[in-house]
C-alpha cells in the first residue's frame, strides 16, 4: 500500500470537502409537502410570489402621521389594524391610529409609538419630532416579487419552512437523502441486548453514528459486524461500497488485527489520508473505493463521535446536495484555566453555560461516553498553544 500522508485538522477537513465536492453527482429529486420538508435539502430555488411586505406596514402600535406636522396636536380621522386597510388619505394636521402590522395609510410617512402620545377624544398630541420612515417597513423591503428567497442547496429549517409557507409553496422539491452504510468491526462486539463478558462491548457506535447521519441529512443503513479477519472484512465491505458513503467503525489503528486498510487496498482503494493530528481520533482513514467514499473511524466511542462531526458530517451534507458544510465554531471565555500538550488539535467535551463561559469536563479518554453525555460543546485546543488562563477566549465547536 502506498504511503499515506498524516494531515493537520484543517488540511484533512479541506481534503474531505474538496474531494467530495469535486466528485459528487447531483442527487435525485423528490417532491414533498412543505410541512414534511424540515431537515431536507432544497433542490429548486424558491422565489417570492409577491413583494414582501406587499404594502408598507407599521412596526409599532401608535399613530400614522406626517413628519412635517410634528410636534403638534392632530385630528384623529380613523383607525387601521392588521388585516384591514385605511381607504382614505391622510392630510395636513391629521393622524390615523395604527396597530402593528397594519398597512400605513396613504399620505402618512412616519409612525409615532402610542407611548409618546396623549389622546383626548378625537385629537392626539405629539410633543416630539418623528423622522420620515420611522417604524415603517416599506413595501418590498424584505423581498421583491420574483426574487430568490431560498437558494437551492439550502438545508431547510424552521425559518425556511415558514418562508415557503408564506410564499404559498405547498410542495417543495428536495434532494433524496444519501444512503450511508455503517459497518462495525471487531470480534469484541456483541449485540445491544446481550450480557457482555468483561472483554466484550455492546454494539453502540453504529447507533450513535446512525443518529449523527440522520442529523446530517443522510439515510443510515446498519450492516452486520465484520470480524477481524481479511476474509470477513472484505465480505462485510461489499454491501457498504454500494452505498453513497461508507462509515467503518474500528479496525484502523496499527494493531495486528486492524485489517481495514489492507483489505480496502485489495479492492483498489485510493487513500487520501490515514492519520490526522487531532485528539480524539488520530487514526482516521479517508478514501474512495469502487466509486464510493469511505471513512475508517476509530473504534473508541468518543473518537467515533468526534471524527464524524469533524469530517464525515461534511461528506454526508455535500452528498445530500448542500452547497456548503460549515462547522459551528465560536469563541467563549474559559470558566477555569486549561492546558494541554501542544502538537495535536484537541476536541474535548465541555459545557457552555448560560453565562457564556466554557467549562472543560475532565475527559478521561476515548471511551468516556459519560463526559460526552454531559457535554453540549467541544473545547477546541489549538495545536500550537499550551496554556489558557481563566476568562481567556478559546475556540468552541457546538455539539
Amino acid at each position: 500500500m502506498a504511503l499515506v500522508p498524516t494531515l493537520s485538522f484543517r488540511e484533512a477537513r479541506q481534503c474531505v470537502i474538496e474531494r467530495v465536492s469535486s466528485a459528487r453527482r447531483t442527487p435525485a429529486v423528490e417532491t414533498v409537502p412543505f410541512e414534511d420538508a424540515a431537515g431536507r435539502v432544497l433542490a429548486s430555488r424558491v422565489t417570492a410570489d409577491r413583494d414582501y411586505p406587499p404594502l408598507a406596514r407599521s412596526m409599532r402600535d401608535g399613530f400614522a402621521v406626517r413628519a412635517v406636522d410634528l410636534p403638534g396636536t392632530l385630528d384623529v380621522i380613523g383607525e387601521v389594524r392588521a388585516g384591514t386597510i385605511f381607504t382614505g388619505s391622510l392630510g395636513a394636521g391629521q393622524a390615523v391610529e395604527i396597530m402593528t402590522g397594519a398597512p400605513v395609510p396613504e399620505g402618512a410617512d412616519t409612525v409615532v409609538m402610542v407611548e409618546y402620545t396623549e389622546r383626548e377624544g378625537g385629537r392626539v398630541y405629539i410633543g416630539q419630532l418623528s423622522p420620515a420612515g420611522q417604524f415603517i417597513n416599506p413595501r418590498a423591503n424584505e423581498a421583491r416579487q420574483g426574487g430568490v428567497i431560498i437558494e437551492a442547496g439550502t438545508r431547510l429549517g424552521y425559518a425556511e419552512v415558514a418562508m415557503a409557507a408564506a410564499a404559498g409553496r405547498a410542495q417543495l422539491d428536495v434532494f433524496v437523502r444519501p444512503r450511508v452504510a455503517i459497518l462495525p468491526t471487531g470480534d469484541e462486539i456483541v449485540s445491544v441486548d446481550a450480557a457482555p463478558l468483561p472483554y466484550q462491548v455492546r454494539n453502540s457506535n453504529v447507533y450513535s453514528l446512525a443518529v449523527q447521519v440522520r442529523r446530517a441529512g443522510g439515510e443510515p443503513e446498519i450492516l452486520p459486524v465484520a470480524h477481524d479477519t481479511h476474509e470477513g472484512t472484505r465480505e462485510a465491505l461489499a454491501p457498504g461500497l454500494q452505498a453513497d458513503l461508507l462509515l467503518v467503525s474500528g479496525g484502523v489503528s496499527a494493531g495486528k488485527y486492524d485489517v481495514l486498510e489492507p483489505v480496502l487496498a485489495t479492492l483498489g482503494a485510493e487513500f487520501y489520508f490515514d492519520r490526522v493530528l487531532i485528539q480524539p481520533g488520530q487514526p482516521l482513514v479517508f478514501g474512495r473505493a469502487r466509486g464510493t467514499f469511505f471513512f475508517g473511524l476509530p473504534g473508541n466511542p468518543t473518537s467515533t463521535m468526534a471524527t464524524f462531526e469533524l469530517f464525515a458530517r461534511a461528506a454526508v451534507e455535500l452528498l445530500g446536495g448542500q452547497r456548503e458544510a460549515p462547522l459551528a465554531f465560536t469563541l467563549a471565555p474559559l470558566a477555569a484555566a486549561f492546558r494541554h500538550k501542544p502538537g495535536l488539535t484537541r476536541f474535548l467535551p465541555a459545557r457552555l453555560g448560560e453565562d457564556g463561559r466554557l467549562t472543560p469536563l475532565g475527559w478521561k479518554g476515548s471511551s468516556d461516553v459519560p463526559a460526552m453525555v454531559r457535554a453540549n460543546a467541544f473545547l477546541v485546543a489549538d495545536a500550537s498553544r499550551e496554556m489558557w488562563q481563566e476568562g481567556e477566549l478559546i475556540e468552541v465547536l457546538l455539539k
Side-chain angles (χ1 to χ4, degrees):
M1 192 174 76
L3 184 66
V4 183
T6 296
L7 302 181
S8 69
F9 162 64
R10 301 288 178 186
E11 290 170 336
R13 183 168 167 80
Q14 190 61 31
C15 173
V16 170
I17 291 172
E18 289 180 354
R19 291 285 183 177
V20 175
S21 296
S22 64
R24 62 178 172 168
R25 299 180 298 272
T26 301
V29 176
E30 61 183 344
T31 302
V32 299
F34 80 93
E35 62 266 30
D36 295 334
R40 305 297 297 272
V41 178
L42 188 67
S44 302
R45 59 175 48 175
V46 174
T47 57
D49 62 318
R50 59 178 182 169
D51 290 341
Y52 286 89
L55 296 171
R57 290 177 174 170
S58 176
M59 300 168 65
R60 298 288 190 273
D61 292 336
F63 290 87
V65 300
R66 302 190 324 159
V68 296
D69 291 335
L70 302 181
T73 299
L74 309 177
D75 294 324
V76 180
I77 62 171
E79 176 190 282
V80 60
R81 64 183 185 277
T84 66
I85 192 167
F86 186 76
T87 56
S89 180
L90 186 135
Q94 295 180 330
V96 171
E97 190 172 8
I98 194 166
M99 312 304 165
T100 301
V104 176
E106 183 180 346
D109 62 3
T110 189
V111 171
V112 180
M113 293 172 60
V114 67
E115 293 89 336
Y116 302 115
T117 67
E118 298 176 23
R119 180 158 184 183
E120 187 174 338
R123 310 196 79 193
V124 61
Y125 172 70
I126 301 173
Q128 63 180 36
L129 295 171
S130 180
Q134 179 171 269
F135 300 133
I136 292 177
N137 192 10
R139 177 176 178 172
N141 187 47
E142 299 160 2
R144 291 196 174 276
Q145 183 177 10
V148 177
I149 48 179
I150 314 177
E151 287 282 3
T154 300
R155 174 68 62 82
L156 298 168
Y158 55 85
E160 290 79 12
V161 169
M163 188 71 255
R169 292 292 296 270
Q171 295 186 316
L172 293 170
D173 295 331
V174 296
F175 291 122
V176 172
R177 295 183 180 97
R179 189 164 61 91
V180 181
I182 302 172
L183 174 64
T185 69
D187 293 336
E188 74 278 16
I189 296 175
V190 298
S191 65
V192 171
D193 57 359
L197 297 171
Y199 54 84
Q200 295 177 321
V201 295
R202 291 189 175 96
N203 191 12
S204 62
N205 281 357
V206 294
Y207 297 104
S208 65
L209 284 171
V211 172
Q212 290 175 290
V213 166
R214 289 191 186 96
R215 285 180 55 188
E219 193 65 47
E221 178 184 333
I222 295 174
L223 303 178
V225 177
H227 295 292
D228 290 329
T229 65
H230 284 255
E231 182 180 345
T233 300
R234 185 184 176 99
E235 183 178 340
L237 284 169
L241 292 174
Q242 301 300 312
D244 297 303
L245 179 68
L246 170 62
L247 305 178
V248 183
S249 173
V252 294
S253 294
K256 179 178 179 181
Y257 297 101
D258 292 319
V259 299
L260 179 64
E261 285 184 84
V263 172
L264 282 167
T266 68
L267 298 173
E270 181 180 7
F271 296 92
Y272 305 128
F273 58 78
D274 69 354
R275 186 165 293 271
V276 183
L277 297 175
I278 60 172
Q279 188 189 38
Q282 272 195 75
L284 172 69
V285 179
F286 173 57
R288 197 178 189 194
R290 299 183 175 178
T292 296
F293 287 105
F294 61 81
F295 286 91
L297 306 174
N300 280 316
T302 66
S303 297
T304 301
M305 297 174 192
T307 49
F308 179 91
E309 289 301 310
L310 297 174
F311 303 101
R313 181 184 182 92
V316 176
E317 291 174 340
L318 292 170
L319 290 170
Q322 277 190 219
R323 290 176 297 153
E324 299 175 331
L327 283 173
F329 287 111
T330 186
L331 294 172
L334 279 164
F338 172 81
R339 68 185 305 156
H340 79 135
K341 183 179 179 180
L344 301 177
T345 303
R346 290 183 167 83
F347 298 84
L348 305 179
R351 184 142 196 99
L352 190 62
E354 290 191 9
D355 61 358
R357 291 162 66 85
L358 187 73
T359 302
L361 292 182
W363 183 64
K364 303 298 190 300
S366 295
S367 63
D368 192 358
V369 179
M372 289 292 287
V373 171
R374 298 192 301 273
N376 62 6
F378 292 98
L379 177 156
V380 184
D382 190 285
S384 63
R385 184 172 175 181
E386 180 177 2
M387 181 75 183
W388 289 259
Q389 300 295 333
E390 178 182 348
E392 274 195 90
L393 293 177
I394 195 167
E395 199 166 27
V396 180
L397 175 62
L398 301 180
K399 184 179 168 189

